[in-house]
Amino acid sequence: MHRMVRLLVVLIITVLATSACSRTSFFYHRIPTLINWAVDDYLTLDKQQQSQFDEALNELLDWHQTEELPKYVDLLDRLIVRLDSSTPLRVEDMAIWQAEADTYSEALQLQAVRSLAGLIPSLSAAQHQELRQALDKKQAELESKYVDRNDERYRQDAIDNLEDNLSDYLGRLTKTQKTDINAAAQKMIRYDSVWLARRKEWFDGFYALVTNPGLDAEASLLAFLTRSERAPAAEYVHNTEVIMRAMVDVLNARTDKQNRKLISKLTNLRDDLATLIVDEPEA
């Protein structure tokens, strides 16, 4: 269930970062299907559970379109104006936008818990076993992917991720921009083992909650999420600051052509999200 909630948040936020406006609307309306496909990797719901899950998911997305999307549009409006000005971007600007986006993610997660926690008490012993096996499989996949990376591979992966994400909005990066990204990757601190250990602890804690939710599954899940959202590792904080600084440097070095592409992308995204907003019904 915890994985479902996290996955829902990630999918919705990912959709909001989709670059092509025509695809944004398409994928947003496909979220229930995408979520159900992902849940199938962890649990096989019976007919009644599936009906309950679908109803809760639809109510959650209705809330998101009514209450939350206007906030995203407003944030994009302000971001576009700031980026299209001649004033250089500051790390402080990026930090403010990130903090605001984080509040939207937290609100979505909280609402998702309230909408979907009702499924936990209905899970059977067979479903518990299925979930345990799926969580163990996922942990093994993560360890296989990350444990054996050497430092060179780790930094190259960081470079590739940054270049891919930035070029999607800016187009072809200049030599100077690539140099800034490379320099940032050299400053990053590895924390694979810390992240994997926390992920295993998270999986184990969630499984314990699912199998013994207590009298109030929603309250138990909210308490679990609060505990698991403890202060991030120092390495993570350091790397986040390094990446944010690199993004600011790359954006401040953007060419006129890159700026036109960036503003066009963000404007298209903003306009497409605006079409998804559902007004609250009049009382």
Side-chain angles (χ1 to χ4, degrees), residues 41 126 128-138 207:
D41 291 338
H128 290 166
Q129 183 178 9
E130 180 185 15
L131 176 63
R132 179 74 267 177
Q133 292 173 347
L135 293 174
D136 290 344
K137 179 182 178 182
K138 182 61 178 179
Y207 180 74

Side-chain angles (χ1 to χ4, degrees), residues 264-277:
S264 176
K265 286 273 202 177
L266 293 177
T267 300
N268 287 339
L269 175 59
R270 180 258 178 233
D271 292 345
D272 202 49
L273 291 180
T275 68
L276 292 168
I277 294 173

Side-chain angles (χ1 to χ4, degrees), residues 187-256:
K187 298 176 183 177
M188 293 177 67
I189 301 173
R190 294 194 63 171
Y191 73 110
D192 311 51
S193 59
V194 175
W195 180 79
L196 287 168
R198 286 193 169 194
R199 180 53 61 97
K200 185 178 187 308
E201 180 184 345
W202 182 23
F203 282 168
D204 291 344
F206 172 63
Y207 180 74
L209 183 149
V210 168
T211 55
N212 186 22
L215 297 178
D216 190 335
E218 179 182 319
S220 297
L221 185 52
L222 287 172
F224 173 76
L225 289 173
T226 300
R227 292 193 302 271
S228 63
E229 294 293 340
R230 63 188 185 277
E235 297 92 338
Y236 175 83
V237 174
H238 169 82
N239 288 351
T240 299
E241 293 173 351
V242 168
I243 291 172
M244 197 171 291
R245 176 75 262 175
M247 291 179 66
V248 168
D249 290 342
V250 169
L251 288 170
N252 281 338
R254 67 189 182 278
T255 65
D256 289 342

